[in-house]
Amino acid sequence: MLEMRKITLFMLCLLAGLSLTACLGDDDNSNAPKVLTDAEKAAQLSAISGDYDGQVFFSNDTIMRTDSLDVSWRITAMDSMLTIRNFPVRILANGIVNTEARSILNTDSREMLRAYIIPYANNYGTEGHYTFLIIPKEGTFSFTVEKDEVEHQVKVVFAQSMTAQSSLQGYGLFYSVGEYLSKEMMAFFLIKDVVIDNVTYTPGLACYIRGEKYY
């Protein structure tokens, strides 16, 4: 898991709003991220495409620490799409104070979450080390949850950047970005609002997926 630790270090530097040079403590500009050509973007998408198993990490406000649940996802180069097959709905309850809203979301239901991947840079001059933007499809994620035989309409609104209090990093600025290195990747999703039956709640929840490509 050495490569994953390298990814985690870079992501923490990025999320903290530091430059790559400052993070590495190196004044050599040769380490700066390389902006991609169209051909390099296509090659990056091809390299990271495949099926992944891993976890989604989030701040659990019940146990007051970082928690995780198993998830799987696929990246397809043809449509630049990341598809989480089984995103856990219960994660969305964290950061919401309203008791009824939390009870609706506190379910074992899993939903499909889709996001575009926009290749951004090659990092450190290391071959196969990629950074990309994560843009949830249509910027929202809608589904239905049933509780006590009543259906509730839920819509999740995402942000591309967000200031949040989180056990993942403390209080700081988060970005909706991802990174890949040696078949391992991680990617952040920033949940700005959760709308339940036309009532808006603002959890300000930052979570991320982390896992390994197996095919």
Side-chain angles (χ1 to χ4, degrees):
M1 296 300 289
L2 176 60
E3 303 297 352
M4 182 57 73
R5 287 197 292 271
K6 290 180 181 177
I7 288 180
T8 303
L9 173 61
F10 175 80
M11 291 291 283
L12 289 176
C13 291
L14 178 62
L15 293 172
L18 301 176
S19 69
L20 184 60
T21 301
C23 182
L24 295 177
D26 188 351
D27 292 329
D28 183 359
N29 289 333
S30 64
N31 282 329
K34 179 182 179 298
V35 178
L36 303 178
T37 64
D38 288 344
E40 288 170 328
K41 290 177 182 178
Q44 180 182 133
L45 282 169
S46 177
I48 67 177
S49 293
D51 293 295
Y52 295 75
D53 277 335
Q55 292 81 38
V56 55
F57 293 82
F58 58 99
S59 294
N60 188 321
D61 62 6
T62 299
I63 60 177
M64 301 303 293
R65 63 175 175 82
T66 300
D67 202 354
S68 65
L69 293 168
D70 291 340
V71 291
S72 62
W73 63 93
R74 170 175 290 175
I75 295 175
T76 48
M78 182 179 298
D79 54 3
S80 305
M81 190 68 66
L82 183 158
T83 302
I84 301 177
R85 303 182 179 98
N86 49 357
F87 186 86
V89 172
R90 67 171 57 250
I91 288 177
L92 303 173
N94 292 281
I96 294 178
V97 176
N98 184 275
T99 303
E100 179 60 23
R102 289 178 67 94
S103 68
I104 291 171
L105 296 171
N106 190 21
T107 172
D108 291 329
S109 296
R110 301 272 182 143
E111 298 291 337
M112 184 178 294
L113 172 57
R114 306 183 76 199
Y116 293 109
I117 288 184
I118 309 298
Y120 177 71
N122 291 338
N123 302 313
Y124 308 143
T126 302
E127 183 177 356
H129 191 178
Y130 305 125
T131 300
F132 38 86
L133 304 180
I134 300 294
I135 304 178
K137 190 176 182 182
E138 300 177 354
T140 62
F141 169 38
S142 299
F143 54 91
T144 300
V145 171
E146 182 175 321
K147 181 179 181 294
D148 299 331
E149 300 184 351
V150 176
E151 288 191 344
H152 299 275
Q153 302 300 317
V154 179
K155 181 173 74 172
V156 180
V157 180
F158 295 93
Q160 288 304 114
S161 64
M162 185 175 67
T163 301
Q165 176 70 43
S166 170
S167 63
L168 298 176
Q169 189 201 348
Y171 187 80
L173 180 62
F174 292 80
Y175 296 92
S176 187
V177 296
E179 191 173 7
Y180 174 95
L181 176 63
S182 301
K183 294 188 176 182
E184 296 178 335
M185 72 161 283
M186 66 186 299
F188 272 79
F189 289 82
L190 308 180
I191 299 164
K192 178 180 178 291
D193 297 323
V194 177
V195 183
I196 305 174
D197 298 332
N198 296 317
V199 178
T200 300
Y201 305 92
T202 305
L205 177 65
C207 62
Y208 67 89
I209 56 173
R210 189 177 74 190
E212 185 172 359
K213 181 165 70 171
Y214 64 87
Y215 179 77

